[in-house]
């Protein structure tokens, strides 16, 4: 195509589908400029743990797909991950527990990898973190964090002002109680900034909030849920400090207890709190920035009476439908809730006893780890 007139090349490239535009932009500067107007749509990133065999270690493989394609090709049939495009990255080695997808920021995906002790008499735990760009194939393993055995909270976020990506780990070496049985938390906070080279993990202090579940990123912060006091806690990536903002506390947190729990999510670019009312419903509360207020957007009916089922909303479609995964009953289900018809549709299912599934919304991008100063593979 090098000998073609520029107008002819532009005409040909105008027919490139959005999902192929980013790959075509890698060809040369001319193609990148001609394809700059093409909008790339968000897809779904699947992390699926393969079955362990005699000649293969247990590992996690990434797959990518689009909701519309999955819904059309798998509706009414048993879902198979083999129908999804496989990401050209080495499988992520896993131990007893699968790696946890902390989130996707501008095309970079971060995983924390639980790792058992090498020595049963050792009281230290090596906690690796893996970051990759599924489109470009770049990946990096951050230096292991050695800490006393305990629970780990984590988050991955982006700071637009400085073009920095930061990983936050909160390590809790002890139990969440004092000598009298009172519930307390003491977490040691460490931060890793991509691109700072030899800085490595930095100790930035402690927190008394119980932030043991992955946080969600948005607007230069990472939001966490304190599951002892049921409150939203925000980590400011610029100042590197935790804040508890009164205006960020939705009414539903006041009713959280042993039968009710809450998750913090970012759906469609907006902050949500998901209120899981065991055996009854899954309520979604959205935060309005302009009025600094919360409102209950919708309520998804609970499927059956099994309170142990886990609901994980992770995306909103262009028609305001809610995509969520359901697990805990022996299967992994990818479901869609339509607020117009108030109905739940199972889009795909897979036997969870054989594999572990995780799904997040992901937007492909050309963000390069190398350009950030990271010595990646």
């Amino acid at each position: 195509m090098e000998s073609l007139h520029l107008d002819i090349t532009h005409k040909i490239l105008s027919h490139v589908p959005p999902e192929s535009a980013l790959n075509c932009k890698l060809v040369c500067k001319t193609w990148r400029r001609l394809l700059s107007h093409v909008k790339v749509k968000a897809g779904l990133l699947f992390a699926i743990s393969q079955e362990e065999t005699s000649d293969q270690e247990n590992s996690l493989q990434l797959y990518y797909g689009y909701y519309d394609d999955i819904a059309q090709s798998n509706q009414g049939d048993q879902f198979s991950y083999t129908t999804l495009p496989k990401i050209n990255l080495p499988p992520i080695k896993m131990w007893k527990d699968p790696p946890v997808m902390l989130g996707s920021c501008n095309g970079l995906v971060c995983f924390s990898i639980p790792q058992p002790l090498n020595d049963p008499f050792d009281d230290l735990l090596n906690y690796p973190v893996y970051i990759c760009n599924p489109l470009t194939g770049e990946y990096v393993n951050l230096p292991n964090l050695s800490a006393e055995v305990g629970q780990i909270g984590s988050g991955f976020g982006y700071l637009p002002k400085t073009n920095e990506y930061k990983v936050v780990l909160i390590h809790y070496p002890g139990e969440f109680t004092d000598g009298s049985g009172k519930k307390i938390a003491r977490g040691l906070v460490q931060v890793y900034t991509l691109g700072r080279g030899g800085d490595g993990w930095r100790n930035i202090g402690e927190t008394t909030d119980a932030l043991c579940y992955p946080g969600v990123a948005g607007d230069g912060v990472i939001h966490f849920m304190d599951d002892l006091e049921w409150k939203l806690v925000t980590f400011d990536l610029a100042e590197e400090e935790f804040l508890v903002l009164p205006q960020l506390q939705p009414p539903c947190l006041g009713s959280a207890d042993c039968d009710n729990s809450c998750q913090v999510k970012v759906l469609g670019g907006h902050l949500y709190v998901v209120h899981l009312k065991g055996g009854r419903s899954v309520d979604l509360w959205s935060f309005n920035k302009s009025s600094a207020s919360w409102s209950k957007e919708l309520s998804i009916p609970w499927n059956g009476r099994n309170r142990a089922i886990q609901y994980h909303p992770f995306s909103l479609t262009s028609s305001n439908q809610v995509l969520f995964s359901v697990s805990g009953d022996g299967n992994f289900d990818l479901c869609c809730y339509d607020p117009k018809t108030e109905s739940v549709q199972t889009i795909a299912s897979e036997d969870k006893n054989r594999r572990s599934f995780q799904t997040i919304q992901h937007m492909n991008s050309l963000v390069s780890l190398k350009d950030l100063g990271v010595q990646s593979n």
Side-chain angles (χ1 to χ4, degrees):
M1 291 181 62
E2 293 180 359
S3 60
L4 294 178
H5 190 276
L6 196 60
D7 290 340
I8 298 176
T9 303
H10 184 270
K11 180 67 175 178
I12 295 173
L13 293 179
S14 66
H15 296 284
V16 172
E19 56 268 24
S20 302
L22 283 175
N23 284 323
C24 291
K25 285 182 179 181
L26 294 173
V27 174
C28 62
K29 292 181 179 179
T30 300
W31 283 32
R32 177 177 290 201
R33 185 178 72 254
L34 294 176
L35 289 167
S36 60
H37 68 285
V38 178
K39 294 183 178 180
V40 181
K41 65 178 181 179
L44 303 179
L45 186 67
F46 293 80
I48 303 174
S49 58
Q50 309 291 347
E51 292 179 279
E52 188 173 4
T53 62
S54 57
D55 59 347
Q56 184 181 14
E57 291 182 323
N58 203 7
S59 61
L60 201 73
Q61 180 65 56
L62 302 183
Y63 297 82
Y64 195 75
Y66 294 97
Y67 163 70
D68 293 339
D69 297 338
I70 295 172
Q72 291 174 8
S73 62
N74 294 286
Q75 191 170 5
D77 300 323
Q78 185 73 8
F79 172 68
S80 174
Y81 72 93
T82 57
T83 63
L84 300 172
K86 185 178 179 180
I87 299 299
N88 187 27
L89 278 168
I92 306 171
K93 183 179 179 181
M94 58 178 284
W95 284 262
K96 180 179 179 182
D97 296 320
V100 178
M101 283 199 289
L102 300 186
S104 172
C105 292
N106 301 332
L108 297 183
V109 184
C110 183
F111 292 82
S112 63
I113 308 175
Q115 185 170 332
L117 298 174
N118 295 324
D119 185 338
F121 298 101
D122 193 357
D123 60 353
L124 292 180
L125 175 70
N126 287 326
Y127 206 84
V129 174
Y130 171 94
I131 298 175
C132 67
N133 184 327
L135 180 70
T136 65
E138 291 179 296
Y139 66 94
V140 63
N141 292 286
L142 300 187
N144 285 3
L145 171 66
S146 293
E148 296 180 40
V149 178
Q151 297 191 61
I152 296 281
S154 47
F156 177 58
Y158 175 64
L159 190 58
K161 292 182 180 179
T162 56
N163 191 34
E164 291 179 322
Y165 295 82
K166 296 186 179 185
V167 182
V168 182
L169 290 183
I170 310 106
H171 173 238
Y172 299 90
E175 297 291 335
F176 284 167
T177 57
D178 60 12
S180 64
K182 180 183 177 181
K183 292 184 177 180
I184 60 171
R186 176 178 171 267
L188 310 177
V189 186
Q190 294 186 297
V191 174
Y192 191 101
T193 303
L194 293 186
R196 286 200 176 184
D199 281 5
W201 291 102
R202 294 176 289 112
N203 296 313
I204 64 168
E206 299 183 357
T207 178
T208 56
D209 299 307
L211 316 175
C212 293
Y213 293 96
V216 296
D219 297 331
V221 301
I222 302 177
H223 299 289
F224 293 89
M225 181 65 67
D226 184 324
D227 61 351
L228 279 184
E229 298 185 10
W230 294 115
K231 63 183 179 183
L232 271 180
V233 180
T234 298
F235 182 78
D236 188 304
L237 290 170
E239 301 298 330
E240 295 189 347
E241 62 180 2
F242 288 99
L243 304 170
V244 178
L245 304 175
Q247 67 270 25
L248 284 185
Q249 309 306 314
C252 62
L253 293 184
S255 59
D257 53 33
C258 58
D259 289 327
N260 299 272
S261 61
C262 293
Q263 306 168 356
V264 58
K265 301 285 185 179
V266 172
L267 306 174
H270 300 282
L271 182 64
Y272 277 81
V273 164
V274 181
H275 187 195
L276 303 169
K277 300 162 71 174
R280 291 173 289 168
S281 65
V282 181
D283 298 342
L284 272 68
W285 292 74
S286 67
F287 181 69
N288 186 310
K289 282 185 179 180
S290 58
S291 61
S293 62
W294 292 87
S295 61
K296 187 166 73 171
E297 291 292 320
L298 50 88
S299 183
I300 303 173
W302 198 276
N303 183 20
R305 297 181 178 275
N306 187 353
R307 294 174 180 266
I309 291 177
Q310 297 294 316
Y311 286 78
H312 298 284
F314 61 86
S315 179
L316 294 179
T317 69
S318 56
S319 56
N320 206 36
Q321 296 176 329
V322 183
L323 297 183
F324 61 97
S325 61
V326 182
S327 60
D329 58 354
N331 294 313
F332 170 92
D333 294 330
L334 177 62
C335 301
C336 176
Y337 175 75
D338 189 340
K340 293 182 179 179
T341 60
E342 297 183 349
S343 61
V344 175
Q345 179 183 6
T346 300
I347 303 301
S349 297
E350 183 71 32
D351 184 353
K352 193 173 183 290
N353 290 325
R354 293 188 294 109
R355 300 181 180 92
S356 173
F357 282 73
Q358 297 175 68
T359 312
I360 60 171
Q361 181 173 303
H362 174 76
M363 180 78 77
N364 277 327
S365 81
L366 297 175
V367 172
S368 170
L369 289 171
K370 182 180 178 180
D371 291 345
L372 292 170
V374 178
Q375 296 298 318
S376 61
N377 298 308

